[in-house]
Amino acid sequence: MVPGKGVGLIANRTIHKGEIITVRPATMMVQTGAHVRLDPEARNMLYGKAVARLPEPKRELFMGQMGKDIDGKIETNCFQVFLNNTDKKDDEQADPGSHLGCFPEISRFNHDCRPNLHYRINNITHTTVAVRDIAAGEELSITYVGQMQTRAERQARLRRIWGFECGCAQCRQSAASAAASDARLAAIRRLEDDLAAFNETEQRGVTAESGPALVRLYEEERLHIYLAQALTRAALNFALFGQTERARAYARDAAEAMDREVGPHSVDARSMRLLAEHPEAHWTWGKRRWGRRRRSGEGEKP
Ligand SMILES: C[S@@+](CC[C@H](N)C(=O)[O-])C[C@H]1O[C@@H](n2cnc3c(N)ncnc32)[C@H](O)[C@@H]1O
């Protein structure tokens, strides 16, 4: 038991960044459209029949999850799963590909606003990966909600959607530390907006160092689950400034982080590997550098 959180999972050895922790297929899937249309009584009856047909070890695991009845167990523990092999047939209905997926072994991971595991769901397979080194004895955690909001916003969301008061270390920190964290999140948003505005004549004070500054903010904020996007922005920014070696280094790191977050062979990781191989051939190459030179009269793009 983890104080204030119920059952949780604790690392029993040192875990290294990038290690895959769990890979599990869904034990049961419920179509979201059907779930929201049925009343809880009908749901319990139907889900009861489905659970009764599970192999015994799976049924025990399922029934051992938190929640007062089967419907409650699904509501408390399921993950949203999107199956992409269904056609959307009726605009009035929820996307038929949207399901609630039950992964009873996975449902023991508690929420943390600064989690040490990233998870992804491909088709019906749930995978968790360590996004940083984890010491033996640390609790293993995932996040149940997006993490770019302020502490008050995150807490309100967890209360409204999940019905609990978050007891993670990030939420328990002092008012001064929480304010500093909220300010870092605001700084991240501003810097990301500035980095994204590279087509504008006004370059909003962005320099080649703005990329590493963004990565540092994510690291200081311990948002390791989002490092791939920060590293990608930094790599692209170095390409925009025409800095070969640093574009390469950040693109390689971005591809590795992408492998951890999205899994191997993702399109974005491939794109970062291409940037690392041939930065000068990338569509971003030198766009910021040439723009600046033109304005300052230093010369034209060759
Ligand atoms: C999917 S379950 C996680 C496993 C659960 N602790 C158990 O005993 O089976 C989600 C529930 O765990 C508890 N929980 C998870 N993360 C928490 C957190 N950060 N703070 C407080 N309670 C948490 C809440 O009761 C939540 O509804």
Side-chain angles (χ1 to χ4, degrees), residues 1 3-8 64-66 76-78 106-113 139 144 158 162-168:
M1 297 292 267
K5 301 183 194 167
V7 176
Q65 295 176 111
M66 196 181 240
T76 309
N77 299 287
C78 70
I106 304 301
S107 70
R108 296 305 191 184
F109 288 120
N110 284 318
H111 162 86
D112 197 296
C113 290
E139 183 178 6
Y144 296 0
L158 287 164
W162 287 87
F164 67 86
E165 292 297 323
C166 186
C168 80

Side-chain angles (χ1 to χ4, degrees), residues 2 32 38 62 66 109 117 120 140 154 205 214 242 277 283:
V2 181
T32 312
L38 288 169
F62 183 94
M66 196 181 240
F109 288 120
L117 305 183
R120 59 177 181 267
L140 298 173
R154 290 193 310 269
L214 180 71
E277 271 171 44
W283 65 273

Side-chain angles (χ1 to χ4, degrees), residues 82-214:
F82 293 98
L83 301 181
N84 52 14
N85 58 353
T86 48
D87 292 327
K88 195 169 180 174
K89 294 201 176 71
D90 180 353
D91 284 346
E92 296 298 307
Q93 292 184 4
D95 179 351
S98 166
H99 287 71
L100 305 178
C102 306
F103 302 87
E105 297 100 326
I106 304 301
S107 70
R108 296 305 191 184
F109 288 120
N110 284 318
H111 162 86
D112 197 296
C113 290
R114 296 295 175 262
N116 46 28
L117 305 183
H118 187 278
Y119 78 81
R120 59 177 181 267
I121 301 176
N122 289 336
N123 203 16
I124 61 162
T125 304
H126 187 294
T127 306
T128 55
V129 187
V131 287
R132 61 169 172 79
D133 292 343
I134 301 169
E138 260 190 79
E139 183 178 6
L140 298 173
S141 57
I142 58 175
T143 178
Y144 296 0
V145 294
Q147 283 307 325
M148 297 313 290
Q149 296 170 313
T150 63
R151 176 165 80 170
E153 288 165 343
R154 290 193 310 269
Q155 289 177 336
R157 198 135 192 259
L158 287 164
R159 215 175 287 127
R160 182 167 48 82
I161 301 174
W162 287 87
F164 67 86
E165 292 297 323
C166 186
C168 80
Q170 187 74 9
C171 282
R172 282 188 282 108
Q173 62 186 0
S174 68
S177 303
S181 160
D182 290 350
R184 259 193 303 274
L185 291 170
I188 287 175
R189 273 194 299 274
R190 276 196 305 276
L191 194 45
E192 286 184 337
D193 282 350
D194 292 347
L195 282 162
F198 67 87
N199 275 333
E200 295 176 14
T201 353
E202 206 32 68
Q203 295 210 13
R204 301 187 182 196
V206 169
T207 69
E209 293 312 314
S210 299
L214 180 71

Side-chain angles (χ1 to χ4, degrees), residues 15 24 27 64 66 79-83 94 129 148 152 210 219 241 243 252 254 256 267:
I15 292 173
R24 290 285 187 282
T27 291
M66 196 181 240
F79 289 79
Q80 190 134 40
V81 176
F82 293 98
L83 301 181
V129 187
M148 297 313 290
S210 299
E219 285 173 339
F241 277 96
Q243 293 200 11
R252 276 193 294 267
E256 267 179 35
V267 176

Side-chain angles (χ1 to χ4, degrees), residues 6-25:
V7 176
L9 297 171
I10 310 292
N12 60 5
R13 62 170 173 86
T14 304
I15 292 173
H16 296 290
K17 180 164 88 172
E19 275 191 57
I20 291 181
I21 308 302
T22 51
V23 181
R24 290 285 187 282

Side-chain angles (χ1 to χ4, degrees), residues 231 235 246-256 269 272-273 275-276:
L231 289 163
R246 296 186 80 193
R248 284 203 155 115
Y250 275 83
R252 276 193 294 267
D253 287 351
E256 267 179 35
M272 280 298 107
R273 291 204 162 92
L275 173 59

